[in-house]
Every structure is written in C-alpha cells, then in structure tokens.
Amino acid sequence: MTTSEPSLPRENFLNCDYSIRSWLLTTDHKRIGLLFLVSITLFFVLGSAYAGLIRTELLTPRGDVVSPQNYNKLFTMHGLIMVFFFLIPSIPAVLGNFLIPMMIGARDVAFPRLNLASWYVFSIGGVFTIITAVSGGVDTGWTFYTPYSSIYSNTSVMTMAVGVFITGFSSIFTGLNFIVTIHKMRAQGLTWFRLPLFVWAIYATSIIMVLGTPVIAITLSLVGLERLFHIGIFDPALGGDPLLFQHLFWFYSHPAVYIMILPSMGVVSEIIACFSRNRIFGYKVVAFSSLAIAVVGFLVWGHHMFVSGQSAFAGLIFSFLSFLVAIPSAIKVFNWTATLYKGSISYDTPMLYALGFIGLFTIGGLTGLFLATMGMDVHVHDTYFVIAHFHYIMVGGAIMGFMGGMHFWWPKITGRCYPESWGKLSALVIFIGFNLTFFPQFILGYLGMPRRYHTYPAEFQVLNVMSSAGASILGVGYMLPVFYLFWSLRNGPIASANPWLAKGLEWLTPSPPPTDNFEQTPVVTEEAYAYRPEETASG
Amino acid sequence: MTNHWLGFPLFPEQASSMAGRMDALYFFLVAVSGFFAILIFVLIAVFIVKYRRRDGHMPVPSGHGHMWLELVWTVVPLALTMVMFFWGAKLFFHIYTIPPGAIDVFVVGKQWMWKFQHPEGQREINELHVPVGRPVKLTMISEDVIHDLFVPAFRVKRDVLPGRYTAMWFEATRPGKYRLYCAQYCGTEHSLMTGWVYAMDPVDYQNWLAGGAATEPMHVAGGKLFQQLGCATCHKADNTGRGPTMVGLYGSRVTLKSGEVMLADEDYIRDCITKPNARPLPNYEPIMPTFKGIISEEGLLQLIAYIKSLAVPAAQTRSETK
Amino acid sequence: MDESHAIVAHQFDDAGQQRESALLGMWVFLATEIMFFGGLFAGYTAYRFQYAEGFAAASHHLDMLLGAINTAVLLTSSLTMALAVHSAQVGKKPAHIVGWLILTMLFGCAFLGIKVIEYHDKFVHHLVPGASFAWEGALARQAQMFYYLYFAMTGLHAIHMLAGVAVVLVIAIQAARGRYTPQYHNPLEITGLYWHFVDIVWIFLFPLLYLIA
Ligand code: HEA
Ligand code: HEA
Ligand code: CUA
Ligand SMILES: [Cu+2]
C-alpha cells in the first residue's frame, strides 16, 4: 500500500465541524453513513453477545446455563438483532451511503433529509429493541410464527414487533433514496454500463427494500392486532389460517436474504477487480445477475414451507424457482474466479476477505440447493443443517464482504491506513474460527439435531463443543478489527487519495473527501475497472 | 456401529424404507456440491499463486467476457439443478403419498407433549409403538400452536397444525428404539417435546397391543360419543333424520349447495363438526349446532374413526337425497 | 429563471434534475405503498376464496349507496386536485390554486365523514369484530373475517386520507404565500400523485368489499 507523504489536515467532511450537533443534524451522506456504522456496530456486539451465550449453553447436552425460556429468548433476540438491526442495514446504510454518491460523481444523495430521517427511524426502532431486551426479551423465534406469537407467547412480542415495523421504514427510505440517486444523479458520461458493480448491486438491493419491506410491516401489524384484540386472521381458533402468516412473512424474508447478500457481492466485485488489476470478467452478466436475483428472489418464498402443509404443487413451483435463482449466483462465482485469471494479484487484507467470501458463500449456496430439493428438505428442515447453511452465507459470506469493504474503503473514509499485518491476521482467524463453528453443524443437522433446542441428546456433544470452540475463536477474530481500526483513527499512517491505485470516482477525491465530495464534478470517459497493465508496476 | 467415529456419530441410522432413498439423494447432492466447491477452491488457489503480483509481470486484461464460457457455466449448473429438482420432487411425493393398507395411528400434539392413539384404542404419551415391515400412517393435529413430528432415523417429518389434519407415513425396517422430536418451535419446552419410537417385530407388536389394560377400539369409543352428544338424533343410519346419514360418508364425494364437490376425508368431517353449516348441503336446513370447544381433539378423532367405520367399499356412493 | 435557481438544493445541478428526482421519488414511494396494501389484498384474496359464501353474505350489510357516493366524492376530489396542479402549471394566481386545494380538502373530509357514519352504523349493529360481534344466521366466523378485513383495509385507507388532507393543508398554506410558480411546483405535483394514488386504492376497495355477489 502506498502512503503519500503526510499532508496537513485540509478541510474535509470529518473536520469541518466537530460539534455533536453538527453530527446529529448532518445531511451529509458520508456522515450519515458513519452514524449508521456506529449504530450497527453496537447491535453487532449485542447480537454477538447473544450468540456467545447460545454457544455457551450448547456446550453441554443438559440445559444448565439458562432456563428453557431464556434460551428461547437468546436465539430470538440474536436472530432479530443480527438480521434487522445489523445485516440488513450493514452494507447499504454504511458503505452504500458513503460510496454511492461518490461512485456516481454526485454531491449527495437525492434526498439528504430523508437520509437523515432514515437513521433516526432506525434508531427509534433500535430503542424499541433495547427496551425489549431489557424488559425480558421475546421468545417467538425471529420468524414470529403464528399462532404462537399472536396468542400464546407471554413475552414482549408487541414491543419487538413495533421495533421491527419502525426500522422497516428506515430500509424503505434508504432504498428509495438510492434508486432515485442512481437514476437521476450520475455524473456526465457515466452510463449504466459504466457503473461500478457495487452500484448495480445496491440498486438491485434497493428494489427489494422498497417492494418487500412494506409487506413485513403490514404482516406484523396484523399479528399485533390479533395479539391485542384477539381478533385476527392467523389463528385457526379465530377462523384464520396460520399458513397465511408464513406466506406473508417469507414473502418479505426470503427477498430479505438477498438484501443481505447482494451488497456484499457488489463489494467483492470491487475488491477482486482492484486487487487483480483486472476488469470483472463478464461485467454485464454480473450486473444483470444482481437484477435477476432481485426479481426472481420474490417468487421463491414457499421453499421455507415445504413441510408446513402447503400444497405439494405450490411446493413444486417454489422448488423449481429456487433452483433458477441459484443460477445467477453461480454465474457470479464463476465470473469472479475468471477475473483472477491472468491478473496481477496481491494479497492485501480486503482481498483475503473477498477470497474468503467466495469460498464460504459457495459452500453456503450449494447447501442451499440441498434445502431447495424438496425431498431432501423433509429431512433437514428445521435442523442445524439450515442453521449452518445460512450462517455460511450470512456470516461467512455477507459479513466477510462487509469486513472486506470496511478495510478497502477505510483509508478513504478516515484518511488513515489500518495496520496491514493485523488485518491479515484477523482475516485468517475469522476464517478458521468460522469453519470450526459452523461446519460441524452440517453434520449435526443431517444427524437430526433440531434447531432452537436448549437441550440435546448426549451423542451430539462432541460436535457441539467443536462449534462452541470455533465460536470463541471467531469472537476473537471479530474483536481484533474493532481494536486496530479504532487505534488507526489516531495512529494509522495518513492515507493518500488512492492508496490501492484503484479505479472508480471515489478514489479521485482526497481522503477523507471534502463535504461536497469533489472539488470539481468529474466527467467519465471510460468504463469501470479500466486497469492498465503499466500502472501496476510495483505493488 | 459403522456410523460412529471416535465414539460420536457422523451419520444417522437408517431404520425405514425411506432412509436409503433419502441418503442416495443426499450423496448425489454432496457429490455435485463437492465437485463445484473443490473446482472453485482449486481454481482460486492456482490463480492466486500463478498470477501473484510480481515486478515485470504484466497482467493481461480480461476482455468483455466470453460468450462460450459464460454459456457453459450457466447451462451445466442449470442442468444439474434440474436433476436435483426432479429427483427431490419424486422423493417428496413418495414421502407424502400414503400407501394403501397402512396402519392408522392418530397423533395429537400439544404444548409440550405428543399423544398417540392406535385404532385398537391404546393410548401413549411421547412413545409410539409400531411394527416393522408395515406402513404406518400418522394423522396429526395440534391442540394449540404449530408443532412438527420428526423421526431422523426414518427421515420423515411434517408440521402438525392446529385446526387441520396433516398426514405422513413411514415403514420401519429394523426393530429398535429411535428418537422422535418436535421440530417446529412451539414455546418454552419445545426442546423437551421429544420421545421415542419403538419399532417392533410384528409378533411383539401384536403382543404389545394385546397387553396392558383392556381398551376400547377408537371407533367404538366414537360410536358412544355419537350417542352421548346427540348426533344420533339427527343422523340416523337409515337416513330418516334431520341430517344426512353417516353411513358411507367417509371417502365419498359430497356435492355442496354451492355445487362444489368435496372429498369427505378427515378434514371435511372435522370441519362439519366444528364449523357446521359452513358448507351447506342441498336439501338440509342449516340447523346443526356447533360442537367447537365441546369435543376434544381426541374425541373428534374418535368420532371420525367411528364415521370411518361406517364407510362402505369404494364405488358405492351414498345417495344425496332424503 | 434566476428566481427558480434559488430553490435548487445543493445536491442538484439544476431545477430540471431536482424536479425529475422528486417525481421519481414519489413513484418509488407509491410502489412501496402498493406493496403495503398488497399484504392486505393477499389476505383478502386468500379468504375470499375460502369463505366465499360468508363474504357475500357479510357484504350485503354494507351500504352500497354510501359506498357509491363516497366513490363519486373521491373521484371529484381527484379532479379538483388535478385542477390545482394545472393552475400552478399555467401560472394562475395563488388564490386560484388555493381554491382548488380547499375544495379537494372538503371532498376529502366529506369522504371521511361518510366513512365515520358507516363505521358508526357497523358499531351499532355489532358488526365490529371482537367480543361484541353478533351475527344472526350461519357463517358467523366467515362474516367476522370479512369485517375484520373490511376495517383493516378501509382503516388503512382512511389513515392515508387523513395524511393526505394534512399534507394538502400545508401545501395550500404555501400556495397562499405564492410559493408555487410554473417553474417550481414540485411539492404540489407530488402531493397530487399521492392523492390520486389514494383515490385509486379506493377504486379497488369499493368493488372488492361492497360489490360481492
Ligand atoms: C443472505 C442470506 C441467504 C442467502 C443468500 C440464501 C441463499 C439461498 N438459500 Fe437460504 N436461507 C437463509 C439465508 C440465505 N439463503 C436463511 C436465514 C434461512 C433460514 C431462515 C429460518 O428458517 O430461520 C434460509 C433457509 C433456506 C431454505 C429453507 C430451509 C428450511 O427451512 O427447510 C431454503 C430452501 O430452499 C434455502 C435455499 C437457498 C438457496 C437455493 C439459495 C441460493 O440463492 C444460493 C445460490 C448460491 C449458490 C448455488 C452457490 C454458488 C454456485 C456455484 C459455486 C456453482 C455451482 C452451482 C450449481 C451446481 C447450481 N434457504
Ligand atoms: C446476520 C446474521 C447472523 C450472524 C452474524 C450470526 C452470528 C452467529 N450466530 Fe447466529 N443466527 C442468526 C443470524 C446470525 N447469526 C439467525 C437469523 C438465527 C435464527 C434465530 C432463530 O432461530 O429464530 C441464528 C441462530 C443461531 C444458532 C441456533 C440457535 C438455535 O437454533 O438453537 C446458533 C447456534 O450456534 C448461532 C450461532 C452464531 C454464532 C456462533 C455466530 C458468530 O458469528 C458470532 C461471533 C461472535 C461471538 C462468538 C461472540 C463474541 C464472544 C463472546 C460474547 C464471548 C463468549 C463466547 C463464547 C464462550 C463462545 N446462531
Ligand atoms: Cu412442539 Cu416444538
Ligand atoms: Cu429463502
């Protein structure tokens, strides 16, 4: 990494005003991105604490650390916080906010005040979550299945549902802003097919956010009505149909898994291109595959319900479409791999994360195919096989991408470089810890260990201990970056405008960028990733 | 046992006719996935070593993709997923298509226990005795929230819903004791809603049925309920009552007032009793009182067993008029 | 031209970009809204098939005349709204714009008033789902489901109407201060879009709820 001679602090978006007020009332997309970074980091720590307790309880077959009800609250809060308050906002609201306007050469997003509102709405939702956590938690599972959630549970379901309902609007605002920004505010010469793939990925994500999120909002409202007034449409005792809830829930929550993975795929495209000094192989195919995933992703929700009693013919259609939606992901993986071919590859930290992403996402995605195979799903549904599948994608995939992106753009965001050797070490520790945590769960799942179990048969203990041991390594791996990134804020070497010699408009402006992003609005004359061999010279 | 390694299991026991089929599909999926995973890993490893950044080594920019290659890695995975799709669908329909002649066992799930009843009348809690070598059909319903009956050694599972029957079947192949679980989260003691399936030699099974306290077969108990609850006042065997006769109802096709034709299966009969008049019949006044909350799920199952025992062999349909 | 330049926010290059962004933003928001109502429509569809007879019977207790009047009222309000936007576009006096907006609000309130009468009537006849729901004859459960969906759907619609009236009020005040010119009237224009959307939702609700048979 090249670090230019330390320059004197100029006026930039970070140092233009230090007052708290200036942060809380900012409409600068870069500052809003950082507000989100702080919030989601807090929620990640909270969600991880729940994970730590889950793994501690599962060290022994007997339920000896927490009571059954408390265990149920642990995984419910863990799932809810990780999904709605960490992973869904993670890349879009932090990196997306920071980068989208810069990548397209704009001064800000189209609706800066709506953008700030999005953070406040998120925070209000977050407050409800904290209140829920403090007032004893929820025990419905993150899926809120009725009639358990609407009639039987006696925990704080309402508070939590309100929290999720409110944060939903944060997603909607963010998505709306990005769609309009990407459509209307691109710099001169920046055609759709010159956009970085990250922008394409965020665009596809935004479509899902805007079209999916309202459905979960209305669904949770209906659960709330049923809970409050004992009238409703989900409980069979009230004449309702519990499967209707599941349809509505997954109609959002399956597309939501693509909200979580698509941005990460975008980040990985940027990183792979930069560190192999190569244009992404099959750029257009990769761009369109994001859109294909977003669209077809809306039609596969029923694959969560193969054994639920939904009609077998509906199941056939959902199974078929689930396989179709896997193809664009496969295409992406192959294209990334092909990008490496005849490149000039360096092993900087972001690249390690990106390579980790490809490997782990591949395993997670391929095991998704097991689940989409109707007959197979009968055996592995609601077992640890499913748990392993989605942690491979969400932790091994999405979070790897997020971490890679944070390292990649850290110099741009803060103007400081992080310590490279620590970065590499933590990437390695996370990779090892991750596999030790979740690989044994595939075996447990096929053996038949059901999920959401607080106690389990003694013969499953060895594999569970491995998993818990892995989790503690993983925990350390996540702790490291928190420390050294924080440390680098003061002590890291000063970063130049383009420390990676990367392509992309965001690298044309100083690090950290001035409030209006560019000293003069850029004009684009070439396509994305136009790396030239001669610029690679020495790394 | 072969499926143990260093004292802990890596692979579940195979104890039903389904297990072999499930595992064959599993191995196919593992093979395809293993192939692609290893392919990707090896390619990445080779590329990042071979094309690592070195002085004087110029990268060759990849062009704008490559039609032919792109097609290959679209079509090959697509073809493989279609194999998965058809194979998986076939197995799925096999798992949930009840073979004729299966033994009927009725299951009621409630927070947090499993109640089983055999047609001969034996009741069990969290334990289920079945013979090997014969298909067993489970007709299941929940009294409260959604549960899910799961027997890993048999590779079968299905959600148990409130307000509606679901069914599944298995045929045990090896005598033994196998775990059964509740796989759908159902509240505080979800992880304690477990039990055992005892697969027995047919002879042992007969002995088991014959042993224990004398029990009344389910349809007999149902017949008594039919009298006690006053059903018999309206539903007379000779079809002279105010309601239609129950003789020959089960398994027949009923034409509703709306013209819709419905199969009179367990669910249909259950709905008739708990939500009477929801599906009016031609030629009858909607006068049947609701029995919702008056009859327990077990009682309903007994009534159904009784009405089932009045079924007439297929083809002979009941006349719809008084 | 100079005047309109003053109100271009810093992130936009010019008034044209700003206007297009505002319009697209509103369309995207309306897409969200469609999905919001979509959840309820999905529930409605599921039960309409399952409970066809009960729904038909329950629907008979809705006052078709009031429903039809309300449809007319709402359509008229869409017209006055469109005229308000048009007045701004062709540069009519503020009083003109404000006049149409006030009419729009009046029609909106009339709609809500009639809705209140209908709700009251349901309340008196014990047709509000819950403990006091009373239904003589068969299919009580199905009828209750119908009324549950009736209140959920028209209630959500009414909330949108209320919000619409409030926004139109704000816009009318700004219009009275002469803020809207042929060059700049984005807020008025996108409020119009919203109003028409809420109107269209009712066009779907009316036959689905009142005209089953
Ligand atoms: C980011 C999150 C994410 C992502 C991206 C995915 C992606 C996929 N998921 Fe996953 N899934 C979850 C998160 C995610 N999932 C969660 C959270 C649950 C559980 C929810 C709960 O119950 O709590 C779940 C559950 C779940 C189920 C229900 C299981 C059950 O409950 O019984 C199913 C069933 O079909 C499924 C399938 C798939 C498929 C087919 C993909 C595909 O999109 C994957 C595509 C990727 C690949 C295929 C890999 C790359 C390809 C190659 C390397 C080339 C070779 C390819 C071929 C041969 C095709 N998932
Ligand atoms: C983005 C989403 C996300 C993320 C990042 C994670 C991260 C992790 N998850 Fe999460 N998980 C979900 C989403 C996520 N999970 C969801 C949606 C569910 C389903 C919930 C439901 O069923 O309703 C679930 C369920 C779930 C279960 C199943 C519980 C059950 O069904 O009974 C388990 C069990 O191992 C688990 C473990 C972990 C671990 C070890 C991590 C690790 O990556 C976290 C790493 C951090 C740490 C390990 C903590 C730091 C260390 C300490 C606090 C010290 C103490 C630690 C030890 C002693 C080990 N998760
Ligand atoms: Cu019953 Cu879980
Ligand atoms: Cu899914």
Side-chain angles (χ1 to χ4, degrees):
Chain A
M1 164 188 294
T2 46
T3 49
S4 66
E5 58 302 334
S7 54
L8 288 172
R10 306 157 291 106
E11 165 107 338
N12 63 45
F13 85 101
L14 288 170
N15 65 13
C16 60
D17 190 341
Y18 286 102
S19 68
I20 304 254
R21 208 185 117 86
S22 75
W23 278 90
L24 292 183
L25 295 181
T26 183
T27 51
D28 181 346
H29 64 102
K30 298 182 286 305
R31 284 192 163 204
I32 295 172
L34 292 186
L35 290 177
F36 266 112
L37 178 62
V38 172
S39 318
I40 65 157
T41 307
L42 289 179
F43 279 110
F44 181 63
V45 169
L46 190 59
S48 298
Y50 283 113
L53 288 170
I54 293 176
R55 285 314 327 166
T56 311
E57 169 63 68
L58 294 179
L59 272 170
T60 58
R62 288 141 60 75
D64 31 23
V65 179
V66 294
S67 68
Q69 167 128 55
N70 282 337
Y71 181 80
N72 298 341
K73 291 175 178 172
L74 290 183
F75 66 71
T76 304
M77 296 301 290
H78 166 70
L80 282 167
I81 290 176
M82 286 299 203
V83 169
F84 291 108
F85 294 91
F86 169 65
L87 203 49
I88 285 181
S90 64
I91 296 182
V94 178
L95 291 174
N97 250 329
F98 193 89
L99 293 166
I100 290 291
M102 285 206 273
M103 282 183 163
I104 65 171
R107 281 184 291 277
D108 205 325
V109 294
F111 309 115
R113 272 177 298 172
L114 188 67
N115 204 13
L116 181 64
S118 161
W119 181 72
Y120 275 102
V121 169
F122 176 81
S123 304
I124 297 171
V127 167
F128 273 92
T129 308
I130 308 275
I131 294 175
T132 314
V134 174
S135 69
V138 196
D139 73 342
T140 58
W142 82 283
T143 47
F144 288 110
Y145 272 19
T146 54
Y148 185 70
S149 66
S150 64
I151 304 288
Y152 289 86
S153 170
N154 48 19
T155 53
S156 324
V157 181
M158 280 314 293
T159 332
M160 192 64 217
V162 171
V164 173
F165 179 92
I166 294 175
T167 25
F169 287 93
S170 163
S171 271
I172 293 176
F173 294 169
T174 305
L176 191 156
N177 233 325
F178 287 156
I179 291 182
V180 176
T181 308
I182 296 170
H183 264 281
K184 297 293 175 196
M185 303 183 69
R186 300 191 307 277
Q188 207 192 329
L190 190 53
T191 58
W192 281 92
F193 289 115
R194 284 177 178 172
L195 286 174
L197 288 166
F198 180 74
V199 179
W200 275 97
I202 293 288
Y203 182 74
T205 309
S206 303
I207 293 179
I208 309 180
M209 285 175 155
V210 165
L211 295 183
T213 319
V215 178
I216 189 84
I218 197 77
T219 309
L220 289 178
S221 316
L222 292 175
V223 171
L225 286 177
E226 189 160 315
R227 213 179 148 75
L228 288 178
F229 305 116
H230 274 249
I231 47 166
I233 65 173
F234 299 135
D235 182 12
L238 302 170
D241 180 355
L243 292 193
L244 178 63
F245 171 83
Q246 296 178 23
H247 281 295
L248 290 174
F249 179 84
W250 292 116
F251 180 85
Y252 165 74
S253 293
H254 181 81
V257 308
Y258 296 121
I259 297 182
M260 300 185 242
I261 201 67
L262 282 171
S264 231
M265 292 171 155
V267 168
V268 167
S269 297
E270 299 301 310
I271 295 177
I272 299 272
C274 173
F275 293 97
S276 53
R277 292 277 176 264
N278 216 340
R279 179 180 299 126
I280 289 289
F281 189 88
Y283 167 96
K284 279 194 187 177
V285 183
V286 176
F288 279 126
S289 64
S290 290
L291 286 182
I293 291 175
V295 173
V296 184
F298 270 107
L299 305 174
V300 308
W301 75 87
H303 68 201
H304 295 268
M305 301 167 61
F306 288 142
V307 306
S308 70
Q310 93 179 340
S311 99
F313 293 97
L316 275 180
I317 294 168
F318 288 125
S319 169
F320 180 76
L321 292 170
S322 303
F323 286 117
L324 279 196
V325 80
I327 301 300
S329 300
I331 293 174
K332 280 184 195 254
V333 170
F334 289 122
N335 279 290
W336 289 321
T337 310
T339 305
L340 300 174
Y341 181 68
K342 295 207 171 159
S344 169
I345 296 161
S346 64
Y347 311 145
D348 300 278
T349 309
M351 187 62 166
L352 296 187
Y353 277 112
L355 295 173
F357 172 98
I358 300 182
L360 300 180
F361 171 72
T362 298
I363 297 180
L366 286 166
T367 52
L369 299 178
F370 287 56
L371 301 172
T373 306
M374 292 170 87
M376 189 78 252
D377 187 59
V378 172
H379 180 57
V380 288
H381 172 71
D382 270 348
T383 66
Y384 266 79
F385 195 93
V386 177
I387 302 283
H389 154 67
F390 68 73
H391 283 90
Y392 259 83
I393 294 192
M394 304 208 290
V395 183
I399 296 189
M400 283 281 188
F402 177 64
M403 297 291 278
M406 283 312 295
H407 285 81
F408 187 48
W409 283 291
W410 188 255
K412 176 58 57 187
I413 297 174
T414 63
R416 300 274 181 171
C417 298
Y418 59 86
E420 187 59 38
S421 47
W422 281 99
K424 286 183 175 148
L425 178 70
S426 77
L428 195 68
V429 173
I430 290 177
F431 187 82
I432 294 171
F434 174 81
N435 281 295
L436 187 56
T437 312
F438 292 107
F439 199 82
Q441 296 187 358
F442 283 125
I443 302 171
L444 279 172
Y446 202 74
L447 280 169
M449 177 166 165
R451 61 191 284 200
R452 297 168 169 174
Y453 261 37
H454 157 252
T455 64
Y456 56 86
E459 66 257 32
F460 296 155
Q461 184 170 13
V462 177
L463 288 162
N464 270 297
V465 170
M466 280 185 184
S467 181
S468 296
S472 41
I473 300 176
L474 187 56
V476 172
Y478 283 134
M479 233 91 93
L480 288 176
V482 176
F483 288 124
Y484 68 72
L485 287 180
F486 209 73
W487 174 87
S488 76
L489 283 180
R490 273 193 169 282
N491 307 304
I494 302 234
S496 66
N498 189 358
W500 310 112
L501 302 178
K503 295 285 167 182
L505 298 184
E506 78 271 28
W507 302 107
L508 297 180
T509 186
S511 311
T515 303
D516 267 344
N517 292 348
F518 298 98
E519 268 131 31
Q520 69 218 105
T521 312
V523 175
V524 181
T525 54
E526 55 185 9
E527 52 195 289
Y529 317 120
Y531 287 100
R532 283 180 197 71
E534 50 300 351
E535 287 171 12
T536 314
S538 54
Chain B
M1 265 216 287
T2 48
N3 59 353
H4 280 62
W5 176 72
L6 295 180
F8 67 92
L10 288 175
F11 202 76
E13 299 168 273
Q14 297 185 326
S16 79
S17 60
M18 222 79 81
R21 291 165 181 256
M22 182 71 76
D23 295 343
L25 176 55
Y26 180 66
F27 291 131
F28 169 73
L29 287 163
V30 170
V32 174
S33 303
F35 171 77
F36 279 104
I38 291 170
L39 177 75
I40 300 279
F41 297 163
V42 168
L43 283 179
I44 290 181
V46 169
F47 289 166
I48 63 174
V49 172
K50 193 153 171 225
Y51 304 113
R52 68 185 177 281
R53 192 165 300 173
R54 282 164 294 184
D55 282 342
H57 176 94
M58 294 279 175
V60 180
S62 59
H64 290 250
H66 192 297
M67 255 299 257
W68 191 79
L69 264 179
E70 301 265 9
L71 267 179
V72 168
W73 63 54
T74 307
V75 172
V76 171
L78 187 65
L80 282 166
T81 56
M82 286 306 106
V83 177
M84 296 173 190
F85 169 68
F86 281 110
W87 191 339
K90 193 169 159 242
L91 181 61
F92 185 88
F93 279 88
H94 176 68
I95 294 176
Y96 291 130
T97 310
I98 319 280
I103 302 178
D104 257 317
V105 175
F106 298 92
V107 184
V108 177
K110 64 174 266 194
Q111 287 176 325
W112 292 278
M113 60 160 92
W114 293 107
K115 298 186 279 189
F116 298 96
Q117 188 166 15
H118 297 258
E120 293 79 3
Q122 280 78 3
R123 293 156 180 272
E124 313 182 63
I125 286 184
N126 294 342
E127 289 192 345
L128 172 62
H129 289 76
V130 292
V132 297
R134 272 195 70 185
V136 176
K137 172 188 179 190
L138 303 182
T139 303
M140 312 184 288
I141 194 156
S142 162
E143 280 182 16
D144 36 49
V145 300
I146 304 176
H147 302 276
D148 184 302
L149 190 67
F150 176 32
V151 187
F154 295 170
R155 312 285 192 276
V156 290
K157 132 172 346 117
R158 180 150 228 189
D159 276 10
V160 178
L161 302 172
R164 195 177 126 187
Y165 295 111
T166 52
M168 68 177 186
W169 75 281
F170 55 79
E171 183 182 319
T173 49
R174 272 198 305 147
K177 182 181 173 194
Y178 306 103
R179 286 185 185 278
L180 76 85
Y181 299 103
C182 174
Q184 181 62 269
Y185 177 68
C186 55
T188 310
E189 289 179 17
H190 162 62
S191 58
L192 303 176
M193 194 165 159
T194 59
W196 296 96
V197 181
Y198 296 88
M200 310 168 94
D201 252 18
V203 181
D204 294 341
Y205 178 67
Q206 284 310 326
N207 290 340
W208 177 82
L209 278 181
T215 49
E216 193 173 47
M218 276 180 83
H219 68 271
V220 176
K224 286 191 181 153
L225 272 177
F226 200 76
Q227 297 296 333
Q228 279 165 20
L229 292 165
C231 319
T233 54
C234 298
H235 299 288
K236 304 218 163 91
D238 55 4
N239 209 6
T240 55
R242 287 187 289 167
T245 177
M246 297 289 112
V247 176
L249 172 62
Y250 181 83
S252 71
R253 302 210 166 259
V254 182
T255 313
L256 306 182
K257 206 166 162 186
S258 59
E260 200 185 340
V261 179
M262 298 201 61
L263 174 67
D265 56 5
E266 285 88 351
D267 263 315
Y268 174 83
I269 296 176
R270 185 177 187 283
D271 284 350
C272 285
I273 304 172
T274 56
K275 306 174 211 162
N277 315 318
R279 297 173 183 146
L281 294 179
N283 308 328
Y284 290 97
E285 294 299 311
I287 46 166
M288 174 161 162
T290 178
F291 289 88
K292 192 173 173 58
I294 297 173
I295 316 178
S296 67
E297 290 297 347
E298 278 105 332
L300 282 167
L301 284 168
Q302 289 168 346
L303 279 172
I304 290 170
Y306 169 67
I307 294 173
K308 238 170 143 172
S309 74
L310 301 178
V312 287
Q316 259 174 272
T317 30
R318 186 180 54 142
S319 86
E320 284 300 328
T321 41
K322 267 210 265 199
Chain C
M1 200 61 217
D2 254 359
E3 216 182 339
S4 66
H5 227 87
I7 27 175
V8 174
H10 85 286
Q11 71 271 22
F12 294 112
D13 295 336
D14 52 49
Q17 190 187 34
Q18 166 156 317
R19 176 164 176 276
E20 282 180 25
S21 300
L23 279 180
L24 180 62
M26 195 62 199
W27 280 110
V28 175
F29 176 71
L30 293 184
T32 291
E33 287 276 32
I34 289 177
M35 297 308 284
F36 204 58
F37 280 97
L40 287 175
F41 278 108
Y44 174 88
T45 314
Y47 288 114
R48 168 86 182 266
F49 277 111
Q50 232 170 312
Y51 294 169
E53 304 230 1
F55 270 39
S59 167
H60 284 310
H61 287 252
L62 292 183
D63 193 327
M64 214 187 294
L65 182 64
L66 287 184
I69 293 178
N70 249 349
T71 310
V73 168
L74 216 46
L75 283 175
T76 321
S77 79
S78 259
L79 178 68
T80 55
M81 188 73 209
L83 287 169
V85 177
H86 181 75
S87 309
Q89 275 166 349
V90 299
K92 290 260 170 69
K93 290 215 178 61
H96 226 94
I97 307 175
V98 175
W100 287 125
L101 289 176
I102 289 179
L103 272 181
T104 308
M105 277 189 284
L106 283 180
F107 283 122
C109 292
F111 175 89
L112 287 169
I114 295 179
K115 208 76 241 161
V116 169
I117 298 175
E118 285 194 77
Y119 279 3
H120 177 76
D121 177 68
K122 299 293 150 323
F123 185 77
V124 172
H125 288 98
H126 296 284
L127 290 174
V128 181
S132 65
F133 186 81
W135 181 263
E136 62 290 346
L139 310 173
R141 187 167 292 284
Q142 303 191 2
Q144 172 158 339
M145 183 64 76
F146 175 85
Y147 277 103
Y148 179 77
L149 286 165
Y150 167 80
F151 278 104
M153 293 166 98
T154 57
L156 187 63
H157 180 259
I159 292 174
H160 278 80
M161 286 293 297
L162 271 177
V165 172
V167 173
V168 173
L169 182 64
V170 175
I171 297 288
I173 293 172
Q174 291 182 342
R177 296 196 183 135
R179 248 193 87 184
Y180 299 128
T181 60
Q183 286 78 34
Y184 177 80
H185 49 270
N186 296 348
L188 176 57
E189 197 170 2
I190 64 174
T191 307
L193 275 181
Y194 174 83
W195 192 270
H196 298 318
F197 166 80
V198 178
D199 190 358
I200 289 170
V201 171
W202 178 259
I203 300 292
F204 279 94
L205 289 180
F206 179 59
L208 286 181
L209 295 172
Y210 290 75
L211 305 180
I212 317 181

